[in-house]
Amino acid sequence: MAMSGMRQVAVGLGMIQRTPPDAILREGVPAVLRRVPEHRRTAFIEFAHWGYGATAGAAFGLVPRRLRSSRLSGPVYGVLAWSLFELALAPALGLAHAQKARPQERAALLVDHVFFGLIVGSPPEAVIVEPEDGNGDRNRGED
């Protein structure tokens, strides 16, 4: 969802003409979108993007822990996801923007995928455990 927020900012600033989820559903698999009532399509496209992100985040969880433990693993994963779309999925679906030079749009999409990677790949800083007193009750900060 954080990535969707960044994406909306990029669209609002005119950096992105058509988001990848919108392009996929309108150009790549229009039959899917035609089944959705017109007044629900914007929400459906956003929900599809959340679904892609959730699937990609879950797939990141399958990466071996020793690789995920690096702070760079998430951003690298985000760049790989972006590359997969740009180099394989968009051309395979015949999306119009795969055939155009769009450096500003590609840069904006790359940045939001790096951001996605930072979100899914951020290792925990520390395990926080509250101390217990002798009775098994949590210490309430009483001295």
Side-chain angles (χ1 to χ4, degrees):
M1 285 186 250
M3 184 178 171
S4 292
M6 283 193 68
R7 177 82 42 94
Q8 290 306 313
V9 168
V11 169
L13 293 173
M15 298 174 75
I16 298 174
Q17 297 300 315
R18 175 175 272 180
T19 66
D22 188 56
I24 289 169
L25 289 167
R26 292 185 191 280
E27 298 174 41
V29 289
V32 172
L33 198 56
R34 279 194 295 269
R35 293 183 191 143
V36 178
E38 198 163 326
H39 67 284
R40 304 252 190 253
R41 289 182 182 168
T42 300
F44 182 81
I45 290 167
E46 191 61 32
F47 185 67
H49 190 224
W50 290 1
Y52 304 153
T55 301
F60 182 76
L62 299 175
V63 172
R65 184 180 303 271
R66 64 182 169 74
L67 295 177
R68 283 186 289 133
S69 65
S70 168
R71 289 198 180 279
L72 290 177
S73 64
V76 166
Y77 186 77
V79 170
L80 290 173
W82 171 79
S83 299
L84 177 68
F85 174 77
E86 288 289 335
L87 300 174
L89 188 59
L93 291 173
L95 303 185
H97 84 254
Q99 300 158 13
K100 296 186 233 173
R102 1 176 287 290
Q104 183 178 2
E105 184 172 309
R106 283 193 169 119
L109 294 171
L110 175 61
V111 167
D112 73 17
H113 280 82
V114 169
F115 181 67
F116 165 76
L118 287 169
I119 298 292
V120 299
S122 179
E125 292 294 324
V127 176
I128 300 173
V129 178
E130 293 185 30
E132 295 183 7
D133 67 15
N135 297 327
D137 293 332
R138 293 183 185 255
N139 184 347
R140 296 188 181 127
E142 299 168 7
D143 292 325

